[in-house]
Amino acid sequence: MANKITKSFVDNIPYPDTGQNFYRDTELKGFGLRVGTGSKVYFAEGKVDNKTVRVTIGHHGVFAPEQARTEAKGILGMIARGINPNDADKAKKAKSVTLAEVYTAYLKARNSLKPRTIQDYDRCMKAYFEEWQTKPLAEINKDLIERKHREIGERSEAQANLAMRFMRAIFNFALGQYEDSAGNPIIADNPIKRLSQTRSWYRVERRQTVIKAHDLPAWFKAVNSLPDIAIGRNKHLAKDFLLLLIFTGLRREEGLALQWKLVDFKAKTLTIPDPKNRQTHTLPLSDFLFNLLEARKAQNKIDAAEKDEDESPFVFPGTGEKGYMDDPQKLMKKVIEMSGVQFTPHDLRRTFITVAESLDISAYALKSLLNHKMAHDVTAGYIIGDAERLRMPMQRITDYLKQHM
């Protein structure tokens, strides 16, 4: 329907019961009004590359007809020059999106990230990029990246590289997420490239620390002497946790989150359902591990009965939100103090690996025990890495460690 759009004309238009009606101005071609069941909205429309482009101006009442007409003239002028105003508006919004907003969108899109990974990302954002969170991502340029990398590197070169790899992932996500209607990225380039172009990445040697054979007796003695009082009434909880790590090569989070439903005493196996590489991991239990977990199960029942609570589903129960024991950093410090042996939870995994290699356990068995992917290995594709085939190698590693207890 065509008519000159004036205030009296718009005021007298009835709202339809369903759908919407369009009214186009007879004075300014491309200027119009859309009337829905409860709204009257001004718009401007034209064609860019033979495609109709419609731009919303605003509601009647917020805009008077003459104000809307003036806005329409500016929009129609852009269309006449071949510019899609929606693209321009989208680009403007995209260029103003902040690092915090992009990070939130990144986490929402990557909804399969593990809680531990998200926790590490949050820590990185707070520790290294706190002052950038309200800064538009488009303003974080190569010079800023280079200075920030150098600044973090003065404290820790490894953390500087880690922080920038995280930031590279954020920018790569933004490159694909924020585009105009033609599919062109609003953020044209990833500024982290500067570090590669200038060879500014720090050369950080991979940590190779293990508990050496001559230190194992002192370490085992200290672990077995851990005071139970430090972790409540549940006896030997921290001791059993550290022993589980060194006798299985499991990662810290895998051990902490282990549940009883994943321990099969009949088959003598334990299973990690969602490890780092997403491939379910089943390990055979050596005699030592079987006895340790049996005793752990009995102690958990005693502890639950004393507290008049249901037994925890976790092998290493705790009182926090996660339901399992908190990261035992304080108790590890006690082991270090008593034994004089410096170590981290991942050092226990490396110790397990080192022992296995010293016993000449085959590479395929070792990879299976550690749940490492055997990428591009044709031979490995024919080997079935079931728990029974790993039972003997697992027992050999256990026997070696027991000799040093």
Side-chain angles (χ1 to χ4, degrees), residues 177-214:
Q177 183 73 9
Y178 302 98
E179 302 175 338
D180 60 24
S181 62
N184 300 312
I186 301 301
I187 298 169
D189 199 14
N190 192 327
I192 312 299
K193 286 183 179 179
R194 167 70 67 84
L195 301 180
S196 297
Q197 292 165 344
T198 59
R199 299 188 177 184
S200 297
W201 292 101
Y202 293 109
R203 295 189 64 180
V204 180
E205 295 297 327
R206 187 172 180 177
R207 187 182 172 100
Q208 297 292 337
T209 52
V210 300
I211 300 177
K212 296 180 174 63
H214 64 266

Side-chain angles (χ1 to χ4, degrees), residues 44-208:
E45 66 180 4
K47 288 195 172 184
V48 176
D49 297 330
N50 292 320
K51 293 181 179 179
T52 299
V53 174
R54 182 176 296 153
V55 181
T56 297
I57 296 171
H59 285 77
H60 176 60
V62 177
F63 284 86
E66 288 310 310
Q67 290 175 310
R69 192 187 305 276
T70 300
E71 291 288 328
K73 286 178 181 178
I75 293 168
L76 294 170
M78 293 177 68
I79 291 174
R81 296 193 299 274
I83 301 171
N84 186 335
N86 290 326
D87 285 353
D89 186 54
K90 185 178 179 181
K92 183 179 178 181
K93 288 180 180 177
K95 286 181 179 178
S96 66
V97 69
T98 65
L99 173 61
E101 290 170 333
V102 176
Y103 177 55
T104 299
Y106 175 79
L107 292 183
K108 187 175 181 180
R110 299 284 303 280
N111 56 16
S112 62
L113 289 174
K114 293 177 178 293
R116 174 76 187 193
T117 302
I118 295 173
Q119 184 182 346
D120 289 342
Y121 286 171
D122 287 343
R123 188 184 300 116
C124 188
M125 283 286 284
K126 186 174 182 180
Y128 305 124
F129 304 110
E130 182 75 26
E131 74 278 18
W132 285 6
Q133 298 214 26
T134 57
K135 184 185 288 292
L137 197 69
E139 293 181 12
I140 301 175
N141 57 35
K142 294 179 179 180
D143 290 339
L144 285 175
I145 290 295
E146 191 171 32
R147 285 199 295 271
K148 175 63 75 172
H149 183 241
R150 193 162 50 243
E151 174 192 317
I152 300 171
E154 290 173 0
R155 289 174 282 169
S156 169
E157 293 182 352
Q159 286 298 310
N161 285 353
L162 185 66
M164 287 305 157
R165 284 197 292 270
F166 162 69
M167 192 56 60
R168 180 171 58 193
I170 295 295
F171 270 97
N172 283 337
F173 169 76
L175 286 169
Q177 183 73 9
Y178 302 98
E179 302 175 338
D180 60 24
S181 62
N184 300 312
I186 301 301
I187 298 169
D189 199 14
N190 192 327
I192 312 299
K193 286 183 179 179
R194 167 70 67 84
L195 301 180
S196 297
Q197 292 165 344
T198 59
R199 299 188 177 184
S200 297
W201 292 101
Y202 293 109
R203 295 189 64 180
V204 180
E205 295 297 327
R206 187 172 180 177
R207 187 182 172 100
Q208 297 292 337

